[in-house]
Amino acid sequence: MRKVRKRRTGRGLIGTTLVCLVGIGILVGLGVWQLERKAWKENLIATLNAQLAKPPIDLPPRTQWAGLKPQGNEYRRVTFPAEFLPGQDALVYTAGSAFRPDVRGAGYWVLAPARLAGGSIVIINRGFVPLEKKAAAGGGLPHGLVDIVGVMRWPEKTGSFTPAADVKGNVWYARDTKAIAAAKRWPDHAPFYVEMESPAPPGGLPKPGKLVVNLPDNHLQYAIIWFGIALVLTGFYVAFLVRRRRPEPVVGPG
């Protein structure tokens, strides 16, 4: 009987090739994206460190507020005299801070309005109080004009997973100063708020402090992972091709 050679279809080769090429392309793209993110993160950290290392400048005047944008102004250190309005504190829950290494564990940021000489309001983050010391949030408020030193920040955006504010309980879950000012009826407030560095209250709470850049930079590790998976997939495809090039089995007489 004449030997019959089994015929292999090309469909398996074409399908596997397409899947592998698409997969490798996606994985390499993710690796390159992580390298780009690494460069962006390093530039951001350098920019923030440079901003926070500068000496404080005078707070921009009220006439310039409408034109201020976060880019180029956020994390700028400023100093200005203002008078805190008593009994107006708002508490913002926090589980910790990437910019305040001295803040450990859950607690509250204490936000309060401070009136400038012209009557405008700047919202001040007076500092942190731990959960168990919530009653101390309203303490240590200085009277009269005080010289405030701090860092300009812009309101946080709430997301779909941000809990709803407990307005009656005076607890918010994001430093959304627009929403807080609306609920508290603070008029004519600045579009930014200020993270206070000083002065510190006599009793130590709320605890102000300097911001420190402590952003995670794991993008190189992620890039290596994506490139590594792409390499494994490439090895799988090469092994597949080698296997197909082996001599085809033949069927002899039974």
Side-chain angles (χ1 to χ4, degrees), residues 68-251:
L68 290 178
K69 304 297 180 185
Q71 186 175 6
N73 291 294
E74 192 156 23
Y75 298 101
R76 176 188 291 184
R77 296 182 70 227
V78 293
T79 180
F80 56 98
E83 180 180 7
F84 284 101
L85 304 182
Q88 296 289 315
D89 293 323
L91 304 182
V92 179
Y93 175 83
T94 179
S97 174
F99 288 89
R100 287 280 303 274
D102 59 316
V103 171
R104 298 175 182 176
Y108 302 97
W109 301 118
V110 182
L111 273 60
R115 182 185 290 120
L116 303 180
S120 297
I121 298 294
V122 176
I123 300 172
I124 309 295
N125 182 358
R126 297 180 56 215
F128 174 81
V129 293
L131 282 179
E132 65 275 12
K133 296 184 178 180
K134 181 180 178 181
L141 191 69
H143 299 286
L145 280 177
V146 293
D147 290 324
I148 297 173
V149 177
V151 175
M152 295 173 63
R153 299 289 305 275
W154 261 253
E156 292 179 338
K157 295 181 179 180
T158 58
S160 56
F161 296 103
T162 305
D166 179 8
V167 178
K168 290 185 178 180
N170 196 34
V171 175
W172 278 259
Y173 293 90
R175 281 170 282 189
D176 183 356
T177 51
K178 290 183 179 179
I180 295 172
K184 291 284 190 177
R185 297 182 181 177
W186 294 336
D188 195 26
H189 64 90
F192 52 86
Y193 68 98
V194 172
E195 300 267 10
M196 191 170 75
E197 296 178 3
S198 65
L205 291 176
K207 184 181 180 182
K210 281 195 170 186
L211 301 188
V212 177
V213 181
N214 191 28
L215 299 176
D217 184 7
N218 301 316
H219 299 293
L220 179 59
Q221 294 92 312
Y222 296 149
I224 291 173
I225 290 172
W226 291 124
F227 288 140
I229 299 175
L231 187 62
V232 170
L233 184 55
T234 302
F236 166 81
Y237 181 63
V238 170
F240 170 77
L241 292 179
V242 170
R243 185 176 178 180
R244 285 187 62 89
R245 291 177 64 87
R246 291 175 181 172
E248 297 178 346
V250 294
V251 178

Side-chain angles (χ1 to χ4, degrees), residues 7 20 56 62 67 94 107:
R7 299 182 63 185
C20 288
R62 176 70 180 82
T94 179

Side-chain angles (χ1 to χ4, degrees), residues 13-83:
L13 176 61
I14 295 174
T16 302
T17 299
L18 287 175
V19 170
C20 288
L21 288 179
V22 171
I24 292 169
I26 291 174
L27 292 167
V28 171
L30 289 171
V32 171
W33 176 66
Q34 286 295 337
L35 292 179
E36 292 172 349
R37 291 280 295 174
K38 176 177 173 59
W40 169 83
K41 181 66 71 64
E42 289 174 347
N43 181 66
L44 174 64
I45 292 173
T47 301
L48 294 182
N49 278 325
Q51 282 277 64
L52 294 173
K54 293 178 181 178
I57 62 173
D58 290 338
L59 186 75
R62 176 70 180 82
T63 54
Q64 295 181 9
W65 289 359
L68 290 178
K69 304 297 180 185
Q71 186 175 6
N73 291 294
E74 192 156 23
Y75 298 101
R76 176 188 291 184
R77 296 182 70 227
V78 293
T79 180
F80 56 98
E83 180 180 7

